[in-house]
Amino acid sequence: MMKKRLTLFGLLISTLIVLSCGDSDQYVGAEKNDLEVGQTSTQLIGSTTGSAKSGLSTGSSPTGSIQGIAVTGSGVINTKPDLAVLSLGIESRGQTVGSARSDAAEAMARLIISLEKNKVRENHIKTDHFNIYPEYTYEEIYEDGNTYSRQKITGYRVSNSISVQTSDLERVGEIIDDAALAVGDAIRINGINFTIENTESLEKRAMAMAVSNVIDKADRISELANVKRGALIYITNQNVGSATNNMLERSSMSVFSDYASTPINVGQLTIEVTVDALFGIIN
């Protein structure tokens, strides 16, 4: 009887052990399956993320620049000037500041009278520079067996420069000649500029020509490249060319003759406008 009970008890324990081992294996298997599912999900997310980055990279420009048809155009207008600006002056020297300044004042007064006789209005005469300079010489001094140079003032120089405007271009040569005769050797002709008093309307015309030029160039390029020109993306104005012509620089009394008149050629002026433009491309 006792043996039968022990046998039944042993069978019961064995059964519990087997059942316990079976549950453990199933639980471990479940953990493995859950881990494998998690790894698969992570790979999909990584793949999706990688695909998204690739799409963004493909959609953006590597350089960040705008693609299109870039052109530069210009508009040029040649015209005659209508205003002359003369830079005239006088120069005098004297042993003292007072004597040099007095001589300069008298010379400038004669110059102004000469200009007024040639119908140059007072408000078209403007002082540009007035200077008084000491003039030096260097002398060698022998003293106690040593030689050295010493600066010594020998006199003073006074210069007075004015700018003169006139719209009577045919009288420019006569104005210069009369000024030289009135002032004498003290006259200084520093330069003549021919310009246009009001360039606004001419600049507008040149700009319209430049804009038309860039459109024409863009159309020709698009035709040759077998594409269609799109809308204007941007347009910028580079510069407006100067409408000034320098005729004479740094002349003095020596260029004039007592008998011959001074020939002055007015010539032509050029106004140039340059623009840069970028047009889109229609695919």
Side-chain angles (χ1 to χ4, degrees):
M1 186 68 178
M2 181 63 68
K3 288 183 178 180
K4 186 180 289 187
R5 288 180 178 177
L6 290 173
T7 301
L8 291 172
F9 183 75
L11 290 172
L12 179 61
I13 291 174
S14 298
T15 302
L16 290 173
I17 291 172
V18 171
L19 290 173
S20 176
C21 291
D23 291 339
S24 176
D25 289 340
Q26 289 177 357
Y27 180 73
V28 172
E31 284 187 333
K32 289 181 178 179
N33 289 335
D34 288 343
L35 182 60
E36 289 174 357
V37 171
Q39 288 175 342
T40 303
S41 177
T42 302
Q43 289 172 356
L44 289 173
I45 292 171
S47 176
T48 303
T49 304
S51 177
K53 287 182 179 178
S54 176
L56 289 173
S57 176
T58 303
S60 61
S61 173
T63 60
S65 60
I66 302 174
Q67 296 182 351
I69 303 172
V71 288
T72 298
S74 61
V76 179
I77 293 179
N78 294 314
T79 186
K80 289 185 177 181
D82 58 10
L83 184 68
V85 181
L86 292 77
S87 178
L88 308 178
I90 58 90
E91 189 173 83
S92 66
R93 289 176 170 83
Q95 293 293 321
T96 64
V97 172
S99 62
R101 189 207 58 78
S102 178
D103 291 344
E106 291 178 4
M108 180 56 70
R110 294 195 300 270
L111 176 57
I112 298 297
I113 292 172
S114 172
L115 295 172
E116 290 175 347
K117 287 181 178 180
N118 279 285
K119 300 180 180 180
V120 177
R121 291 181 292 180
E122 183 179 357
N123 61 340
H124 286 172
I125 302 173
K126 179 176 70 71
T127 299
D128 289 333
H129 304 287
F130 180 85
N131 300 296
I132 299 178
Y133 301 102
E135 294 188 321
Y136 299 95
T137 188
Y138 291 89
E139 56 183 2
E140 289 187 350
I141 304 298
Y142 298 93
E143 187 175 339
D144 298 331
N146 297 319
T147 303
Y148 62 92
S149 296
R150 182 172 63 186
Q151 191 181 62
K152 180 181 178 181
I153 295 178
T154 58
Y156 296 88
R157 177 166 55 94
V158 176
S159 63
N160 191 353
S161 298
I162 60 174
S163 61
V164 179
Q165 294 184 6
T166 179
S167 57
D168 191 353
L169 303 187
E170 294 182 357
R171 294 178 64 90
V172 171
E174 187 176 350
I175 290 172
I176 293 173
D177 291 341
D178 290 348
L181 292 173
V183 178
D185 291 344
I187 191 67
R188 298 294 181 267
I189 311 297
N190 300 318
I192 305 173
N193 291 332
F194 290 103
T195 185
I196 298 172
E197 189 170 8
N198 187 2
T199 61
E200 184 177 356
S201 61
L202 295 174
E203 289 174 2
K204 285 182 178 179
R205 286 174 52 195
M207 188 170 293
M209 294 170 62
V211 172
S212 177
N213 186 230
V214 294
I215 294 174
D216 181 60
K217 283 185 177 180
D219 286 340
R220 280 183 286 167
I221 291 173
S222 61
E223 183 180 354
L224 292 171
N226 197 25
V227 296
K228 188 175 181 181
R229 174 177 63 83
L232 178 67
I233 297 174
Y234 76 80
I235 186 168
T236 59
N237 181 20
Q238 279 191 10
N239 66 291
V240 177
S242 176
T244 302
N245 185 10
N246 298 324
M247 288 290 297
L248 184 63
E249 294 183 356
R250 303 301 301 174
S251 298
S252 63
M253 183 60 192
S254 60
V255 301
F256 301 105
S257 168
D258 291 338
Y259 306 101
S261 61
T262 302
I264 299 295
N265 297 320
V266 175
Q268 280 192 333
L269 300 180
T270 299
I271 296 178
E272 182 175 4
V273 175
T274 304
V275 296
D276 291 327
L278 179 66
F279 295 89
I281 297 175
I282 300 176
N283 296 323

